[in-house]
Amino acid sequence: MKKLIISALAVVAMASCNKSGIEVSGSIDNAEGQMIYLSQMNLDKTFIVDSAEIKADGSFSLNAPKTKEPTFFLTQLSDKKKQITILADSLTESINFTADAQAANWTSSIKFTNSEESQALADLISRVDEIQSNLVSIASDKTLTEEQKQTSSAELLKKIDEHKTYVTSLIFDKPRSFVSYFALFQTVIDMPVFDIMSKDDIVLFNTVATSLRIAYPENDRVKHLCDYVLQIRAMQKQQQKTEALLKDATEVNSPDIFAADKDGNIHKLSDLKGKIVLLQFWGSQSEESRKLNRQLVKIYEKYHSKGLEIFQVSVDTSKLLWESAVESDKLTWTNVCDFYGVNSTAVRVYNITSIPSNYIIDRDGSLIGKDLVGTRLDNRMAELFK
């Protein structure tokens, strides 16, 4: 009897041990013999919690620790290029999925059998991966004419807008889901899909932050998101005040800018003192910016020998797209970018809320004009160099 009781206790203990973790299992075609790694993605770090070798039939089994709150996990194959993001919470006991390592589109081959939220993540990632793949292809294709690149890029920008509409619907439908949190921080070639500095987009950040704070007030990601939204709102208020001062002033001294060009050389706006400077803010994926670049090329050719300099600051976050645009548009003047996008120091200092945007700086370093384009810009340049 005593042995039977001990055996029964051992079985109960084993069962309890199995329930202490989350089983992550499934099957990946065309990946026999590869190692698969499971990592936990915390806000401050990502660390491996388990690994296994994929069997001949493609099957594998991993174990993730139980979590009290929604937590992201990441599975990676040996090459680290094929990844799958998983979302588990305190009620999750197992997650199962299938995929094909040789699929033309890896992310679209991922299918979860028992995790709706993980499948929603896979769908989000697949949508953005397709857009990113096409953008990289366009930027690197030397056979395309500039007109073809512009047309293709415009079509893909529409795809991004469609994705934003899709995510917006998702967020308002499930504001307390960490899938909505994940969607806010998606990027296309390092460019944020959602711009927290945008009046429309910050509403989404605020909606998710407020909703998640009610459900998970002590969660690190939620605290970070709430603090981020508050900081941006405070920054926007300060920018509005400074913008009003700049608008009312006829002449104010221009703040300095320090930033690097595509070769890593640092340029200072103040080094151009003594010249008439057109300080231009732009972005490679802005159709209006690219259109204005064509006018700037003509203005530069006409007035550079008379003392005009152009100091152009890109709000890009992708080095590839920025450099491709600089080359395509034949921009030969100083062009810098720090890849912080809307959070760039120069953007904040000069209160740039939309692009293209510009300032004209006189030889003493004072701002004497703002946001002139078309014939207004041509006329102002003619005045300054008559």
Side-chain angles (χ1 to χ4, degrees):
M1 175 66 75
K2 186 176 181 181
K3 289 183 178 179
L4 287 173
I5 292 173
I6 292 173
S7 297
L9 289 173
V11 170
V12 171
M14 289 178 65
S16 299
C17 182
N18 288 338
K19 289 183 179 179
S20 66
I22 302 168
E23 182 186 19
V24 178
S25 62
S27 176
I28 300 179
D29 294 337
N30 301 304
E32 177 187 351
Q34 286 197 51
M35 291 296 294
I36 183 168
Y37 301 90
L38 177 66
S39 299
Q40 183 169 326
M41 303 169 68
N42 291 350
L43 182 62
D44 58 340
K45 63 180 178 179
T46 297
F47 53 93
I48 296 175
V49 296
D50 200 5
S51 62
E53 184 175 329
I54 298 174
K55 298 178 181 178
D57 63 355
S59 65
F60 65 89
S61 181
L62 300 161
N63 190 265
K66 272 283 190 181
T67 60
K68 294 181 180 179
E69 296 177 335
T71 303
F72 293 105
F73 291 91
L74 182 71
T75 62
Q76 288 180 300
L77 295 189
S78 302
D79 61 7
K80 296 185 179 180
K81 295 178 181 179
K82 295 180 174 62
Q83 304 177 344
I84 300 175
T85 305
I86 295 169
L87 182 54
D89 58 27
S90 59
L91 300 178
T92 305
E93 294 185 354
S94 67
I95 291 180
N96 181 273
F97 63 85
T98 60
D100 184 350
Q102 291 186 5
N105 187 325
W106 158 256
T107 51
S108 66
S109 77
I110 301 166
K111 303 298 177 188
F112 285 86
T113 60
N114 63 344
S115 176
E116 289 185 10
E117 293 217 313
S118 293
Q119 186 61 58
L121 286 178
D123 293 342
L124 284 173
I125 295 169
S126 179
R127 292 170 67 94
V128 169
D129 277 356
E130 183 180 358
I131 296 170
Q132 177 163 294
S133 176
N134 288 332
L135 271 174
V136 170
S137 177
I138 293 168
S140 58
D141 191 343
K142 302 296 184 182
T143 66
L144 293 177
T145 65
E146 183 56 33
E147 184 178 353
Q148 289 173 322
K149 283 187 176 183
Q150 288 291 328
T151 299
S152 298
S153 295
E155 291 174 357
L156 288 172
L157 287 175
K158 289 181 181 178
K159 291 287 186 183
I160 293 177
D161 286 339
E162 289 172 5
H163 180 68
K164 290 182 70 170
T165 300
Y166 172 84
V167 171
T168 299
S169 177
L170 170 70
I171 287 174
F172 284 121
D173 185 41
K174 297 180 178 180
R176 292 191 185 185
S177 169
F178 271 73
V179 176
S180 295
Y181 168 92
F182 182 91
L184 288 175
F185 296 98
Q186 282 191 287
T187 60
V188 177
I189 317 182
D190 302 323
M191 295 185 299
V193 173
F194 288 95
D195 176 6
I196 195 170
M197 297 298 286
S198 159
K199 292 180 181 178
D200 293 329
D201 291 354
I202 198 171
V203 172
L204 301 177
F205 282 86
N206 192 58
T207 298
V208 175
T210 303
S211 299
L212 286 178
R213 183 175 57 190
I214 294 171
Y216 309 100
E218 298 304 316
N219 183 277
D220 287 342
R221 290 185 185 275
V222 174
K223 288 181 179 179
H224 179 266
L225 176 60
C226 291
D227 289 344
Y228 185 38
V229 172
L230 288 174
Q231 288 171 9
I232 295 301
R233 286 202 175 280
M235 184 190 301
Q236 287 178 331
K237 287 181 180 179
Q238 183 58 44
Q239 285 181 344
Q240 288 171 358
K241 291 179 181 178
T242 309
E243 178 70 16
L245 291 174
L246 287 172
K247 185 176 181 180
D248 293 339
T250 54
E251 283 192 9
V252 293
N253 289 329
S254 55
D256 207 358
I257 295 175
F258 301 76
D261 62 21
K262 63 183 181 64
D263 297 318
N265 301 313
I266 300 297
H267 295 267
K268 294 167 58 179
L269 178 61
S270 58
D271 286 341
L272 299 179
K273 192 170 182 179
K275 304 276 190 178
I276 298 293
V277 180
L278 178 62
L279 174 60
Q280 177 72 32
F281 292 85
W282 73 297
S284 68
Q285 299 307 294
S286 162
E287 188 175 344
E288 286 301 313
S289 291
R290 303 297 293 275
K291 180 180 178 181
L292 183 56
N293 278 348
R294 293 194 285 273
Q295 182 185 10
L296 295 184
V297 169
K298 294 178 181 178
I299 287 175
Y300 189 71
E301 289 175 350
K302 186 173 183 179
Y303 296 110
H304 176 56
S305 62
K306 298 181 179 180
L308 173 68
E309 294 291 345
I310 297 178
F311 193 99
Q312 200 164 30
V313 180
S314 169
V315 299
D316 279 284
T317 56
S318 168
K319 194 170 190 291
L320 173 66
L321 295 180
W322 172 52
E323 289 184 351
S324 176
V326 170
E327 181 182 348
S328 296
D329 293 357
K330 297 180 174 57
L331 311 182
T332 57
W333 49 78
T334 301
N335 213 304
V336 299
C337 185
D338 62 12
F339 306 108
Y340 287 117
V342 295
N343 295 313
S344 166
T345 301
V347 169
R348 295 201 306 269
V349 168
Y350 279 89
N351 303 291
I352 303 304
T353 57
S354 64
I355 54 171
S357 187
N358 61 46
Y359 287 93
I360 297 176
I361 303 171
D362 70 11
R363 290 182 171 85
D364 295 322
S366 296
L367 302 177
I368 58 172
K370 183 185 177 188
D371 289 341
L372 301 180
V373 297
T375 55
R376 291 174 62 217
L377 180 58
D378 283 333
N379 292 340
R380 187 66 172 128
M381 287 295 113
E383 269 179 34
L384 291 170
F385 293 102
K386 62 184 178 181

